[in-house]
Amino acid sequence: MKIVVALVSLSMVIMVGMVFQAVHQEIKMRKAKNRMVESSLEVKRKEEAIVELKTKIESLGQTIKTTNSKNEELRRKKEEASQSNKNFGERLGTCSNEKAEIVKKKTDLTKIISELKANHEQSKEKASEEIQNLKQQILDRDKAICAFVDTTKEEARKLCGISESSR
């Protein structure tokens, strides 16, 4: 009997040990299952965050592309404006040179015109003097002719300025 009691006690101790072991394993399994559920939830959240970040990255990529294209367009416009500015500068230089030439020609022509006006005035004065001299010579000649002309004729009276009443 002693052996039976010892065997029953030993089997009880072994059984309690096995129950304890089973309960301990069950608790560990539940904890592992809970951690696994939490980990899967965390993985899902992180996946969602990754997907969200991907969409943000794609939208930022599109924004960068549009910004780069606008930047390139602005560079082209800047180059065109620079080229246009250079062309306008060259045209301005050409126009300035032409203007300087025209101003020089104008001053030369103004000088020539003033000289011609002065010469014209002098010529006019000389011509006026010559006309006066010629008129005086004609009057002197007419007076000399009037002294010898027959005043009875009408042409002679007209030439000498004699009226019929003074005869």
Side-chain angles (χ1 to χ4, degrees):
M1 236 313 135
K2 278 191 175 185
I3 288 189
V4 171
V5 172
L7 274 176
V8 168
S9 331
L10 184 64
S11 5
M12 283 297 240
V13 169
I14 290 176
M15 204 152 86
V16 169
M18 284 179 81
V19 168
F20 178 75
Q21 184 79 20
V23 169
H24 185 64
Q25 275 185 344
E26 186 66 30
I27 291 172
K28 277 186 176 180
M29 281 178 58
R30 282 188 182 184
K31 283 183 182 178
K33 187 178 178 183
N34 286 340
R35 277 186 290 177
M36 197 168 98
V37 168
E38 287 175 5
S39 294
S40 67
L41 288 175
E42 190 175 325
V43 166
K44 283 182 183 180
R45 276 184 268 153
K46 287 184 179 180
E47 283 177 352
E48 288 172 359
I50 288 172
V51 168
E52 216 176 281
L53 287 174
K54 275 186 176 180
T55 57
K56 282 184 181 178
I57 287 172
E58 287 175 0
S59 68
L60 289 174
Q62 290 296 329
T63 306
I64 287 173
K65 285 180 183 178
T66 56
T67 305
N68 285 341
S69 66
K70 286 180 182 178
N71 193 12
E72 188 64 32
E73 185 179 332
L74 289 174
R75 280 188 191 139
R76 273 189 259 118
K77 285 183 179 180
K78 181 183 175 187
E79 289 174 7
E80 290 173 0
S82 175
Q83 187 65 28
S84 176
N85 193 11
K86 183 180 175 184
N87 290 341
F88 285 134
E90 291 173 358
R91 288 180 187 166
L92 179 63
T94 303
C95 288
S96 295
N97 291 339
E98 288 176 2
K99 180 184 176 187
E101 290 175 12
I102 289 170
V103 167
K104 184 179 177 186
K105 287 179 183 178
K106 179 184 173 189
T107 55
D108 291 344
L109 288 175
T110 307
K111 234 186 236 182
I112 291 170
I113 288 172
S114 63
E115 288 174 3
L116 287 175
K117 282 182 180 178
N119 287 342
H120 177 68
E121 291 296 323
Q122 289 175 354
S123 298
K124 201 174 184 183
E125 288 175 11
K126 285 181 183 178
S128 174
E129 287 176 12
E130 287 181 29
I131 289 171
Q132 288 299 325
N133 287 336
L134 290 173
K135 282 182 180 179
Q136 188 62 41
Q137 287 175 1
I138 291 171
L139 284 175
D140 292 342
R141 187 192 66 196
D142 286 348
K143 284 181 185 177
I145 292 174
C146 284
F148 300 106
V149 170
D150 183 16
T151 57
T152 58
K153 293 185 179 178
E154 188 177 328
E155 284 183 21
R157 285 192 304 256
K158 280 185 183 177
L159 181 66
C160 293
I162 300 171
S163 63
E164 280 190 36
S165 60
S166 60
R167 212 179 24 127

